[in-house]
Amino acid sequence: MTDFRYLIVGGGMVADAAARGVRELDADGSIGIISEDVDRPYARPALSKKLWTDPDFSWHDKVDLHTEETGAQFVLGTSVTAIDRAAKTVSTADGTVHGYERLLLATGGKPRGLPGLPPSARVLDYRSASDYRRLRELADAGAHVAVVGGGYIGQEITAGIVQNGARVTLVDPDDVVGGRMFPADLAQAFQQRFVDHGVELRTGRRVSEGTETADGVRLTLDDGSVLEADAVVAGLGIEPATQLAADAGLTVHDGIVVSSTLLTDDDSVFAAGDVAEYPDRILGTRRVEHVDNAQQQGRQAGRNLADADETYDHTPMFYSDVFDMGYEAVGRVSSELRTVEDWQDPTVTGVVYYLDDDDTVRGVLLWNVWDKTDDARKVIAEANALTPDMLPGRITP
């Protein structure tokens, strides 16, 4: 059995940030990182962003997070199968047992799959660097790739592939690409960029059945139409990987429930990142699947592993870059909410405020407006004192 003072289950950006957070307070305590991934922690957003659009964006300098600098010991390519809280040990799929003094669960999420299509060399969940390397091979060979799901990842990877010479068909259950997030005019303008770049759109459609063939993939859509491609990328989101925590008797709702210091029911076990359901100081109880949260919450978890006992009080932002468009956002950005739009140039530069039924701002979208996320957080924090007519001009580029 290998013992660690600090043991992290999960090898993503949370693990890197947590290891660095530990080292801010404890220079010598042993750190172990157990990961199903075969790569050390890396900057996951690059898989759908810069690696496709910037030829000078190198893996070594820009993507690999170099977590080895913390002195952490890696156990890669294996999964944790059980936690024994009484013994303070975890067991892995290969039968190894690791002891811990403090444990961080950073297990992230499992991608939602396609019906009848388990992951393979032609069916990619697009969650890992291995998926990126395989998709790069296909795209560089000019393959026809079907992307299923028009959300955050689906949009970005569609743009990345088509800009690298591959033929792309995007299957999106929404009637308009981006329609789930953006006001109608903005969504139409957003969708048009995909059309302008040669993306074939199948909007308002879902995959009802899929079959992998000897040289490709065959998708049957819910209207009975058939789509044949060389490969398919599933961008259908994730389910938080909570089973390990639940089996260990920890409280799980939408995610692993943690306190403001990221502590679970067990005072030796913390959780952070995609899998953690935590109390946001502005927006209330939530679970966030974005990189800013992974980095900031991971760092705080690491510090608290090392006895800092500090509140996580950061309200995270998220961002995306698609073709020549980009945005940053804070809070809930959904077309289910009422909006107040404040455009300097319609659908090009501006701010969209998202309001609930009580006219309280719950989210802010900064469209081609940069470095204003602190202003957006302030608006949301002060939302009870703001009326809709007070919003235009409140955040300016």
Side-chain angles (χ1 to χ4, degrees):
M1 183 172 78
T2 304
D3 288 323
F4 297 99
R5 175 154 174 72
Y6 310 104
L7 183 59
I8 302 169
V9 179
M13 298 186 75
V14 173
D16 173 78
R20 295 179 188 279
V22 165
R23 286 291 177 249
E24 291 176 14
L25 299 178
D26 184 346
D28 302 313
S30 59
I31 301 173
I33 297 175
I34 304 176
S35 175
E36 295 181 10
D37 207 327
V38 297
D39 293 282
R40 294 180 313 201
Y42 48 85
R44 194 180 299 274
L47 303 183
S48 60
K49 293 184 174 75
K50 283 281 194 175
L51 284 170
W52 294 97
T53 59
D54 185 348
D56 297 322
F57 200 78
S58 75
W59 185 272
H60 179 78
D61 294 332
K62 302 291 188 179
V63 186
D64 188 334
L65 295 174
H66 296 289
T67 314
E68 73 280 0
E69 296 168 351
T70 67
Q73 180 178 329
F74 300 95
V75 181
L76 300 177
T78 191
S79 59
V80 171
T81 56
I83 302 169
D84 185 333
R85 290 165 50 198
K88 288 193 172 182
T89 62
V90 304
S91 300
T92 60
D94 63 2
T96 304
V97 176
H98 300 276
Y100 64 85
E101 292 183 35
R102 296 288 175 87
L103 178 67
L104 173 61
L105 299 178
T107 45
K110 301 296 184 184
R112 297 186 182 98
L114 290 163
L117 284 174
S120 71
R122 294 187 179 276
V123 180
L124 307 177
D125 287 332
Y126 212 74
R127 189 71 181 160
S128 69
S130 297
D131 290 332
Y132 163 74
R133 290 189 283 264
R134 174 55 181 157
L135 188 57
R136 170 62 77 177
E137 290 176 1
L138 292 163
D140 287 350
H144 175 206
V145 179
V147 177
V148 180
Y152 189 75
I153 293 298
Q155 294 164 8
E156 290 188 346
I157 200 58
T158 294
I161 301 168
V162 79
Q163 289 179 95
N164 281 264
R167 178 187 165 203
V168 187
T169 300
L170 174 61
V171 181
D172 188 345
D174 292 335
D175 291 330
V176 180
V177 179
R180 190 171 302 183
M181 291 178 62
F182 309 139
D185 286 352
L186 179 57
Q188 287 288 351
F190 184 70
Q191 175 173 277
Q192 188 60 44
R193 295 294 205 288
F194 289 84
V195 175
D196 293 344
H197 282 83
V199 176
E200 179 185 347
L201 299 178
R202 301 284 186 94
T203 55
R205 299 273 67 90
R206 298 177 185 272
V207 174
S208 58
E209 184 181 1
T211 305
E212 185 169 354
T213 64
D215 56 358
V217 180
R218 178 184 175 92
L219 303 177
T220 301
L221 307 187
D222 55 5
D223 62 351
S225 64
V226 173
L227 172 61
E228 295 185 346
D230 298 305
V232 60
V233 174
L236 300 172
I238 64 169
E239 296 288 347
T242 59
Q243 193 60 52
L244 183 67
D247 290 345
L250 300 174
T251 300
V252 171
H253 293 153
D254 179 45
I256 302 171
V257 176
V258 297
S259 69
S260 62
T261 58
L262 308 177
L263 193 63
T264 69
D265 306 315
D266 186 320
D267 61 10
S268 296
V269 182
F270 296 75
D274 294 355
V275 78
E277 182 178 339
Y278 73 98
D280 187 287
R281 68 182 181 89
I282 296 176
L283 292 166
T285 301
R286 63 200 302 241
R287 187 178 62 81
V288 178
E289 298 175 7
H290 292 290
V291 61
D292 184 38
N293 186 60
Q295 293 172 315
Q296 299 298 324
Q297 200 173 75
R299 173 180 178 266
Q300 189 61 70
R303 289 179 60 85
N304 289 349
L305 284 170
D307 295 324
D309 194 31
E310 297 165 341
T311 296
Y312 177 62
D313 60 3
H314 177 69
T315 297
M317 56 83 76
F318 61 98
Y319 72 101
S320 185
D321 297 296
V322 178
F323 300 122
D324 59 345
M325 301 168 291
Y327 64 83
E328 296 179 341
V330 178
R332 187 180 175 206
V333 176
S334 169
S335 55
E336 294 179 354
L337 301 176
R338 191 166 77 84
T339 58
V340 173
E341 301 178 50
D342 185 16
W343 294 102
Q344 281 67 51
D345 187 352
T347 73
V348 176
T349 306
V351 180
V352 181
Y353 301 90
Y354 291 77
L355 288 64
D356 63 16
D357 292 338
D358 296 325
D359 282 344
T360 302
V361 179
R362 305 299 293 173
V364 180
L365 174 68
L366 305 161
W367 192 265
N368 288 323
V369 173
W370 310 107
D371 302 320
K372 297 290 183 176
T373 52
D374 283 344
D375 292 346
R377 292 184 184 97
K378 184 177 180 182
V379 167
I380 297 172
E382 298 174 351
N384 289 331
L386 300 174
T387 56
D389 62 292
M390 298 168 68
L391 298 174
R394 200 160 197 90
I395 300 176
T396 57

